[in-house]
Structures are given as structure tokens and as C-alpha cells.
Amino acid sequence: MKSVVVTGSSSGIGYQVSKTLIENGYRIFGSVRNEEDAQKTILELGENYVPLVFDVTDTDAVKRSAEKVNEMIGNQTLSGLVNNAGIAVLGSIQNLTPEEFKYQFDVNLMGVFHCTKAFLDLLGADKNRDGKPGKIINISSVSGELAMPFMSAYNMSKFGLEGFSQAARRELMLFGIDVVVIAPGPVKTAIWNKFDKTGMLKRYDNSPFRKSLTKVMKFTEKLESSGISPEIISNRVMTILTGYSSKTRYQIDSQWSQNLLLKLLPSRISDKMIAKQMGLIKK
């Protein structure tokens, strides 16, 4: 049986990726944050789902989970690693704390590094293993190419992930391990709802950014409700793993025409369009 590691597998994109792959005959080693999520996800996804309880920011816990996977797959290679776990830190540069900024990077970028490094031998960097080298699929975002106000921390983490992925893809050709990026636009998941919006706005009571930040929050909620289904992303993961796809980056974006326009226009014009929409300058 082919095996794949999926981080952040208890909800959202990671959950759907795990579900789709299991339905297609894969065994999934899925990372979860706690034992409660582990038991819940086992009940829902069945015996071909094996939980790995670790936080992607905990290097030692990631290494222990890699050892567990190694014991279970024997001398076989992993078919894939889907680096999906991520968070979104929202706020103005002026108001974000260094700790908040750092945590964004610890999860979205360092977490990918920790997991990639820990599972590389199982993916085929150890050439004594049996089976084809596996593939690494990094879940990025359109925010890895297009930056927005109040998303500086998130944008930096995803811009960084894009650079890491490109470098890793070229470096790991030595072992035949491919690295592919999936960059979704808005998705019907709760990534932007995992923080205290009321508490955040209270921090901005005396800030000139409060009105604009309120607009941004409402805007992200609207985009999520009209975003793509996680199944679209999981189906793309499936085609990448099965070898029916050869691109290095897949952008899946319901707002593609608007975002393309913003990238094609001169930067100063795009700046003004975005700033007007967010209420940062007068229309």
C-alpha cells in the first residue's frame, strides 16, 4: 500500500486531502495537534488513517513521528509528503508584535522545513529504499505572489515558501524527489476564523487602521464563503501523486481574473486600487 504524510490533517484542506487519498487506496499518516483530534479523525477516516500527534514547530516531535512512519513502512519509500499545516496572522505592521510575526513563520515556513527534512530519507533520499522516490507537495497560496494590506506576515511566509519550494525542487533532483506547489485562492475553510476578531479589533480602537482592518475582515469572510471547495485541491494532489501532471506550480483561484489584472498593471496603479478598496486612501 502506498503511504503519504499529510500535515494539518484534522480539518480543512488537509482533512479533505487525507479523505480523497484514502478513498483511492492510500494509507495516510496525518499530523494532528492533540489526541482528541487524532481519535476523532480515525473514527471519520477509518483504519487507513494513522494519526501523528505533533506540532510542526516542534522539531523533536516531528523527528519522532518520522521514526514511527519509518517503522510502519519498513524499507518502502513514502509516496508523498503534503505540507499543508498553516495559520494566518492578520494585522498592521505597526501593531503586530515580534512574537506574532515569528509564530507565523514558525508554522508556515519553518514547519515546512522541519517536516521536509525529517521525511526526506523516507521519500527516497535514502537510495537503499525500495520503490520510486516520493513527491513533496507544498500548499502555498495566491498570497505567495500577491501581497495585500494587513497580511504582511502571511505574505512573507508564503513568498518564502515559494522560494523554498523552487530551491528544494532543483536540489532534490539528485534523489528524483519532485517538489510541486499548489497555490489556492480563497478556500471554503476556516483559516481566517482561527483568531479572536473581537479582541483584535479592540487592539485597534485607537488606531488609524481600525476602519480599514474591519473592511479587510469582512472582505476575507466574503471571499471564504464564495471560495473553492477543498475537494478541488485534494483532486489536484491526487493527480500530482499519480503522475498525471507535470507542472511545478498550480494556482487554483476563483478570483483569478482580478488577481491577474493586479499583477499585470503597473505596481503604483495596483497599489491605489487595493488601497481604495480597503479604505486606506479616498476613492
Side-chain angles (χ1 to χ4, degrees):
M1 178 180 289
K2 294 181 178 180
S3 299
V4 174
V5 172
V6 179
T7 65
S9 66
S10 63
S11 63
I13 294 171
Y15 179 89
Q16 186 58 51
V17 167
S18 300
K19 185 173 184 290
T20 296
L21 293 181
I22 287 170
E23 289 171 350
N24 283 274
Y26 285 81
R27 174 174 53 181
I28 297 301
F29 294 96
S31 85
V32 293
R33 295 287 299 277
N34 53 62
E35 195 61 41
E36 182 181 351
D37 285 344
Q39 294 307 314
K40 174 180 174 290
T41 313
I42 289 173
L43 287 173
E44 292 173 352
L45 297 183
E47 62 182 12
N48 284 337
Y49 175 83
V50 180
L52 303 173
V53 182
F54 69 81
D55 185 319
V56 295
T57 66
D58 186 337
T59 312
D60 291 336
V62 174
K63 288 179 180 177
R64 288 193 297 270
S65 291
E67 290 167 2
K68 177 179 177 179
V69 173
N70 182 38
E71 290 173 4
M72 292 190 69
I73 67 173
N75 202 46
Q76 297 297 312
T77 55
L78 273 175
S79 293
L81 166 64
V82 182
N83 284 310
N84 162 74
I87 60 166
V89 172
L90 189 66
S92 70
I93 297 167
Q94 188 176 40
N95 292 81
L96 282 172
T97 66
E99 292 76 18
E100 288 170 323
F101 217 94
K102 182 177 182 299
Y103 187 56
Q104 176 74 92
F105 267 72
D106 285 345
V107 176
N108 286 18
L109 198 50
M110 291 305 297
V112 172
F113 168 74
H114 296 323
C115 293
T116 300
K117 183 177 176 66
F119 290 101
L120 266 182
D121 278 351
L122 308 189
L123 287 161
D126 175 0
K127 293 189 175 183
N128 292 317
R129 290 186 169 270
D130 297 328
K132 292 182 179 179
K135 296 181 180 180
I136 299 171
I137 300 174
N138 291 333
I139 306 299
S140 182
S141 167
V142 295
S143 296
E145 286 191 343
L146 181 65
M148 289 291 176
F150 308 110
M151 292 173 60
S152 59
Y154 185 71
N155 283 135
M156 281 185 69
S157 71
K158 292 301 184 179
F159 270 66
L161 179 59
E162 298 273 351
F164 174 84
S165 300
Q166 187 175 98
R169 185 178 66 254
R170 292 167 179 173
E171 181 177 319
L172 297 177
M173 289 175 71
L174 175 67
F175 306 116
I177 298 171
D178 195 14
V179 181
V180 180
V181 167
I182 297 179
V187 183
K188 291 178 180 176
T189 64
I191 187 170
W192 294 104
N193 294 323
K194 293 179 181 179
F195 56 85
D196 178 11
K197 293 180 181 178
T198 303
M200 170 172 282
L201 288 176
K202 188 172 179 59
R203 285 173 58 182
Y204 287 80
D205 277 346
N206 298 313
S207 169
F209 290 117
R210 192 186 195 287
K211 186 175 180 180
S212 295
L213 186 61
T214 303
K215 280 191 173 186
V216 170
M217 286 185 172
K218 291 180 179 178
F219 184 63
T220 56
E221 288 175 358
K222 182 179 178 181
L223 286 177
E224 278 183 4
S225 64
S226 61
I228 62 170
S229 166
E231 285 91 341
I232 295 174
I233 299 170
S234 67
N235 289 337
R236 174 55 64 194
V237 170
M238 185 69 203
T239 60
I240 293 169
L241 289 175
T242 52
Y244 298 133
S245 190
S246 59
K247 290 172 64 176
T248 60
R249 187 179 191 272
Y250 293 87
Q251 185 157 313
I252 307 172
D253 184 13
S254 59
Q255 305 288 315
W256 68 270
S257 56
Q258 176 182 312
N259 290 337
L260 178 62
L261 177 63
L262 288 171
K263 286 196 290 186
L264 292 176
L265 286 172
S267 294
R268 296 295 185 187
I269 294 176
S270 296
D271 290 349
K272 288 181 180 179
M273 289 175 63
I274 293 168
K276 285 177 181 178
Q277 187 177 28
M278 301 302 181
L280 291 164
I281 60 174
K282 291 181 180 180
K283 293 186 178 181

